[in-house]
Amino acid sequence: MPEPVLIRPAAAFDAAFAVPLVQQTIGRVGLALTGADSDTGAARAMLGFFPLRGNRLSYQNVLIAARGAEPLGLLLAYPGADAHALDDPFRERLASLGLPAQVESEGTPGELYVDTLAVTEAARGGGVGATLLEAAAAQARARGLDRVGLLVEDGNRAATLYARMGFRAAGTRTLAGGTYTHMVWTLPG
């Protein structure tokens, strides 16, 4: 029987695992956020933000799912009310690059916003994503929030997992040139 999947807070040293997985998952949003013109460039920029506090991509906002020492996936989440402030460092970066300093903050006040849920290809289908979402629900409750929210792009197969967990569509948003469904999981009292 395999070891159980454990959830732990990320540390700055998790950057080498986390950052490429985040960029692989968020794609064009990462390009828009960093002002980079390639996934490699975006990941390089994100590596600079991950070990720092006070930004969307900080290790402080990340939980790692692991089996033993092997990381299997991650959850990057923060209170939606903090989204605008957590994006300020990215606005500063874009301005320093001579780009429009516009970052569309994704989180909605009143919810724990799941910015990124990512599972390694080898671990997909094994319940790691559901375990991370349960950790998000516990984190939301601990912060006094009764909802977990996220954005999902049309056609993303993770939408099935979100629906199974209890997420429901709550509107659409356009972000970085893509259309996303805002899904909300209202947690049982």
Side-chain angles (χ1 to χ4, degrees), residues 19-88:
V19 168
L21 192 56
V22 168
Q23 180 55 31
Q24 177 187 346
T25 304
I26 69 173
R28 68 173 159 240
V29 173
L31 299 176
L33 191 62
T34 62
D37 59 5
S38 69
D39 287 336
T40 301
R44 190 174 301 121
M46 289 178 189
L47 282 169
F49 284 101
F50 191 83
L52 303 177
R53 298 171 180 264
N55 75 84
R56 173 199 296 218
L57 300 177
S58 171
Y59 72 94
Q60 292 181 299
N61 301 323
V62 177
L63 296 175
I64 301 286
R67 182 171 287 122
E70 180 188 2
L72 305 172
L74 63 84
L75 174 95
L76 192 160
Y78 44 83
D82 296 348
H84 188 79
L86 291 172
D87 285 338
D88 282 342

Side-chain angles (χ1 to χ4, degrees), residues 7 11 31 34-35 40 53 56 63 79 85 97 117 123 140 143-144 159 171 174-177 182:
I7 306 296
L31 299 176
T34 62
T40 301
R53 298 171 180 264
R56 173 199 296 218
L63 296 175
L97 295 173
L117 174 68
R143 293 174 182 255
T174 302
L175 181 69
H182 179 219

Side-chain angles (χ1 to χ4, degrees), residues 3-11 14 17-18 21 50 59 61-76 116-124 126-136:
E3 291 182 60
V5 172
L6 298 177
I7 306 296
R8 65 169 173 80
D14 287 307
F17 166 74
L21 192 56
F50 191 83
Y59 72 94
N61 301 323
V62 177
L63 296 175
I64 301 286
R67 182 171 287 122
E70 180 188 2
L72 305 172
L74 63 84
L75 174 95
L76 192 160
T116 308
L117 174 68
V119 177
T120 62
E121 194 167 332
R124 289 183 188 145
V128 175
T131 300
L132 284 163
L133 287 172
E134 288 290 349

